[in-house]
Amino acid sequence: MTRLAVLVIAATDSSGGAGLTRDVRVLADFGVDTLCAVTAVTAQSDRRVVDVHHVPPEVVRTQIAAALETRQVGAVKIGMLGNRATVEAVADSLAGLAGGAGSTSSSGGTGLAAPIVLDPVLVSTSGGVLLDAPGRAALLEKLMPLATLVTPNVPEVAALLGEPLAADEPGLIAQCQRLLGFGCRAILLKGGHASGEEAVDWLITAEGSVQRLTSRRVSGSSRGTGCALAAGIAAGLAWGVPLLEACRGGKNYVLEQMLAPPESF
Ligand code: PLP
């Protein structure tokens, strides 16, 4: 039997904490193969982004086309894109897939054969800009309408909308509803509740459902958790798991990773 595959459209991170290498590991943990299109090569340590080399958009296009020619994918995960030209190349490539695939079953009406999980990577934890302002505008306009699920954290929601940080949970949910106006099917808002024992995420769908997902809060920060969560959800969707359960599965996976003691030989 052919193994399931997810197409990851993302950048490399030389520190290994985030980006494509992290995604590959997560997908392997879920028993899923990775096909990839590299959008940028970043030189990063855990403390700073030293350099970013953007892969030319036509090369991003050909990578996506070649990957899709190789195997059918069960889902697409989009991470760091860097700039407007890359966002547009990805949007064009996936919209093209819509024409070719001709299925609406798992994508909720985008015409794509596979669900798309979009992690809106704007800045690194160390503060480096990973998507410029024109790229953010293009992401809203061109990629959001193709996405099954978008996975912003609280500052990303505000930054994408060009609004101040929401003051409370009702304000956050209202911001997510405005973000849904750009055409994605659902938003998983990460860390909607910023303190206390619980970590609270919200799954808000275009159909109007609002679900609160709680888990144990783990103190300290860990790099690449946003990448890992989106990859884990994409893996679940590739396995045919419904969206809410895929989000729960991704969250549980990330929590386990953060709690796991370092392995020894
Ligand atoms: N670098 C790359 C290449 C990424 O794809 C991402 C997140 O997707 C990051 C950095 C951000 O990760 P972190 O917030 O852990 O710095």
Side-chain angles (χ1 to χ4, degrees), residues 10-13 17-20 40 42 44 49 77 79-80 119 121 123-126 130 222-227:
T12 64
D13 166 8
L20 190 55
T42 75
Q44 291 187 64
V49 177
K77 188 238 147 162
M80 176 187 161
D119 181 16
V121 178
V123 291
S124 69
T125 303
S126 62
L130 301 178
S222 170
R223 293 215 40 232
T225 50
C227 298

Side-chain angles (χ1 to χ4, degrees), residues 7-159:
L7 170 61
V8 174
I9 303 171
T12 64
D13 166 8
S14 49
S15 75
L20 190 55
T21 56
R22 183 75 193 257
D23 293 333
V24 173
R25 199 173 85 207
V26 173
L27 291 170
D29 286 346
F30 278 86
V32 175
D33 290 343
T34 305
L35 281 67
C36 71
V38 181
T39 56
V41 176
T42 75
Q44 291 187 64
S45 69
D46 284 342
R47 285 182 296 109
R48 65 190 184 115
V49 177
V50 183
D51 206 356
V52 177
H53 168 75
H54 299 284
V55 172
E58 61 275 17
V59 181
V60 175
R61 280 176 208 272
T62 51
Q63 290 177 84
I64 295 172
L68 294 174
E69 190 184 299
T70 310
R71 266 168 87 171
Q72 192 173 351
V73 297
V76 178
K77 188 238 147 162
I78 304 174
M80 176 187 161
L81 296 172
N83 60 27
R84 179 175 196 109
T86 303
V87 173
E88 288 176 345
V90 171
D92 289 350
S93 300
L94 297 181
L97 172 66
S103 161
T104 56
S105 56
S106 55
S107 62
T110 63
L112 284 161
I116 296 175
V117 179
L118 170 62
D119 181 16
V121 178
L122 306 184
V123 291
S124 69
T125 303
S126 62
V129 174
L130 301 178
L131 183 63
D132 63 15
R136 293 176 191 198
L139 184 127
L140 287 175
E141 196 189 312
K142 306 243 164 107
L143 265 184
M144 291 279 286
L146 301 178
T148 309
L149 179 72
V150 184
T151 61
N153 58 27
V154 174
E156 285 165 349
V157 173

Side-chain angles (χ1 to χ4, degrees), residues 178-194:
R178 285 198 282 287
L179 211 49
L180 280 167
F182 287 90
C184 60
R185 285 197 55 215
I187 290 177
L188 179 67
L189 171 69
K190 299 176 290 195
H193 191 273

